[in-house]
Amino acid sequence: MLICVHDGDLAGLFEIATAKSARNQGHGRNLILSALKWARLRGAREAWLQVEAGNAPALALYRSLGFDEVYRYHYRRPPGA
């Protein structure tokens, strides 16, 4: 499953997930490519997504599709939280 939003020149990919029993069968790649095609046909020229830095299988998939790391988020908790 995934959610793809289109906003002008941009496509955003969210909640990309494949059931454990269906992994490594190309389903995630096919979903992403289909979503990107959908967005491209509506005018998107670039795409972005977020992924946890430790998710090696997802990172490998996204890199194989041409995505590169642009920056990282860093979250902090307020003192005493």
Side-chain angles (χ1 to χ4, degrees):
M1 69 158 226
L2 69 78
I3 297 170
C4 179
V5 296
H6 166 242
D7 183 15
D9 287 345
L10 293 174
L13 302 175
F14 301 89
E15 303 297 328
I16 302 168
T18 304
K20 286 184 182 183
S21 62
R23 290 184 184 158
N24 298 310
Q25 298 176 33
H27 301 303
R29 174 179 297 278
N30 290 338
L31 279 171
I32 293 167
L33 291 174
S34 292
L36 293 174
K37 181 178 179 181
W38 173 85
R40 184 175 61 244
L41 290 171
R42 285 154 182 79
R45 298 290 168 246
E46 293 186 85
W48 63 272
L49 55 82
Q50 291 178 298
V51 61
E52 291 186 19
N55 189 341
L59 288 168
L61 172 60
Y62 304 148
R63 284 189 185 116
S64 77
L65 292 168
F67 286 91
D68 290 313
E69 183 177 317
V70 176
Y71 57 87
R72 292 183 178 209
Y73 284 99
H74 181 78
Y75 296 97
R76 295 185 181 167
R77 291 182 183 205

